[in-house]
Amino acid sequence: MAGVTDRPFRQLCKQLGAGYAVSEMAASNPRLWATEKSSRRTDHDGEMEPKAVQIAGADPQDLADCAKFNVDRGAQIIDINMGCPVKKVCNSWCGSALLQHEDLVEKILHAVVNAVDVPVTLKFRTGWNRENKNALRIARIAEQAGIQMLTLHGRTRADGYTGDAEYETIAAVKAEVRIPVVANGDITTPEKAKFVLEQTGADAVMIGRAAQGRPWICREIDHFLRTGTHLPAPLVNEVRALMSEHLQAHYAFYGEFLGVRTARKHIGWYVRDLAGGEEFRQQMNLLESTELQLDAVDAFFKKQLSFSERLQYRPAAVAADALAA
Ligand SMILES: Cc1cc2nc3c(=O)[nH]c(=O)nc-3n(C[C@H](O)[C@H](O)[C@H](O)COP(=O)(O)O)c2cc1C
């Protein structure tokens, strides 16, 4: 996820139960490879394996070259993005815009698969719009091209992120191909993960937004799927420690200036449903140094201990009262 699944966050998710985590998308345009942003997006130093890089573009040769470049830099799996609905990406016929051009999809998939000797996977949506759901045809093309796994978000490009993800198309794709299929879209709880696996027959689920500020959701889902019971909420002190670890890794990765700024969204996600979270988020956004930010976050979580030893999510109104008390 662009702007979210950087190396420190992927590492944290993997430590907390994710079996797999893919990099932010890297642009296939060779002019962009050397930029600081692209270099960070393809940096896997010390990351738990497998190291998977997502690439985005519309030109088969550029994508093939980009895949090779990333494999040379340590990528063990290449994922191709045909799921992104963002205009900046779609206007240049990348991301889910490609789904309109099945012949180009075929060329891209063949070019990338033939360019590298690591597994190549595809992330895509159910179609261009609801009248043109071509996920089944895309899945067949992908399988024939040698793609080794499909991740399907149960929305069309035109849906953006609105409405609910549907799982019928994912089930149809799973029934159609022999390669593994990962179901994605709106999975926010262990129960929903189980439901989606049952509905689709998929081999795995992919969690996106629900992991923001809650990277331990993967171990919660994993535990529920294996035992049918829920893990207790994490201990506040555990979250304190892992936030400190996450932030320090984040600062080391981005440096002082960018680090303090890009950490704000992560901190906001961690605290948003906790007592006093919204007030804290607003104050924390004014802090200009990593040291002040780190101390403030630690103090916030220390205060949570006065409510409970385990993380307790609560509505904002109740939360403000509790903090004032
Ligand atoms: C901020 C943001 C950035 C994203 N970036 C990417 C991306 O770079 N590549 C990709 O395949 N999907 C990207 N996605 C889509 C997610 O991978 C996922 O398909 C989508 O959010 C639906 O899953 P969810 O309901 O679990 O969040 C992004 C989503 C968000 C919200």
Side-chain angles (χ1 to χ4, degrees):
M1 292 168 74
V4 184
T5 60
D6 52 24
R7 194 189 71 200
F9 190 65
R10 292 197 299 277
Q11 183 74 353
L12 188 66
C13 291
K14 286 175 171 179
Q15 280 165 15
L16 290 168
Y20 184 58
V22 184
S23 78
E24 302 169 85
M25 61 181 156
S28 65
N29 183 338
R31 287 198 311 275
L32 301 176
W33 294 353
T35 63
E36 209 183 327
K37 189 168 168 182
S38 288
S39 298
R40 256 197 312 267
R41 286 188 171 192
T42 55
D43 178 344
H44 305 281
D45 213 17
E47 184 176 344
M48 278 160 76
E49 298 184 354
K51 300 170 183 179
V53 173
Q54 187 180 72
I55 58 176
D59 180 74
Q61 192 56 51
D62 276 0
L63 279 156
D65 293 343
C66 181
K68 267 193 274 186
F69 175 79
N70 278 289
V71 170
D72 290 344
R73 295 195 58 170
Q76 295 164 315
I77 296 173
I78 294 291
D79 186 50
I80 303 176
N81 181 334
M82 293 192 190
C84 185
V86 176
K87 276 233 161 66
K88 197 169 106 185
V89 174
C90 280
N91 279 348
S92 52
W93 299 113
C94 307
S96 56
L98 284 169
L99 298 176
Q100 287 188 106
H101 303 282
E102 293 175 13
D103 48 344
L104 182 56
V105 168
E106 190 171 4
K107 283 191 188 115
I108 287 173
L109 300 183
H110 277 286
V112 177
V113 168
N114 291 332
V116 291
D117 53 10
V118 302
V120 180
T121 61
L122 176 67
K123 166 88 188 307
F124 66 129
R125 286 187 174 231
T126 54
W128 174 248
N129 56 31
R130 292 191 188 189
E131 293 70 49
N132 292 287
K133 284 195 187 176
N134 59 349
L136 267 183
R137 282 200 304 276
I138 298 284
R140 277 187 221 119
I141 291 170
E143 186 173 37
Q144 277 161 18
I147 291 293
Q148 297 203 23
M149 184 172 84
L150 299 170
T151 302
L152 182 51
H153 177 185
R155 287 187 175 86
T156 67
R157 192 251 155 174
D159 291 335
Y161 289 94
T162 59
D164 296 327
E166 55 92 1
Y167 306 111
E168 291 80 12
T169 308
I170 303 178
V173 165
K174 172 61 195 167
E176 181 71 19
V177 296
R178 278 159 311 204
I179 51 179
V181 174
V182 181
N184 169 240
D186 296 352
I187 299 168
T188 50
T189 62
E191 284 83 354
K192 186 77 183 273
K194 185 166 188 276
F195 170 82
V196 172
L197 284 171
E198 285 168 0
Q199 290 288 306
T200 60
D203 301 278
V205 287
M206 181 198 135
I207 312 299
R209 291 163 294 176
Q212 294 174 169
R214 198 176 151 191
W216 48 86
I217 190 172
C218 295
R219 83 177 173 200
E220 293 176 342
I221 290 176
D222 181 54
H223 181 88
F224 184 75
L225 292 176
R226 280 186 295 103
T227 66
T229 62
H230 284 280
L231 277 179
L235 290 164
V236 170
N237 270 335
E238 183 195 3
V239 175
R240 253 177 97 189
L242 69 86
M243 278 218 63
S244 165
E245 190 189 329
H246 182 187
L247 288 177
Q248 291 189 57
H250 188 94
Y251 302 148
F253 193 64
Y254 287 101
E256 174 74 24
F257 182 82
L258 206 53
V260 75
R261 283 159 183 78
T262 49
R264 286 176 186 151
K265 63 174 178 282
H266 284 282
I267 297 169
W269 288 326
Y270 279 109
V271 304
R272 67 184 157 194
D273 297 321
L274 297 172
E278 182 48 29
E279 296 82 341
F280 174 73
R281 195 184 62 79
Q282 288 174 20
Q283 291 155 13
M284 180 272 306
N285 279 346
L286 303 174
L287 302 177
E288 292 283 348
S289 85
T290 54
E291 198 184 336
L292 289 174
Q293 197 176 52
L294 197 60
D295 287 349
V297 168
D298 194 60
F300 174 83
F301 279 94
K302 209 165 166 187
K303 191 146 197 178
Q304 294 296 311
L305 276 173
S306 59
F307 307 129
S308 163
E309 66 167 1
R310 292 196 178 271
L311 220 54
Q312 236 177 28
Y313 293 110
R314 53 179 78 195
V318 181
D321 289 352
L323 262 196

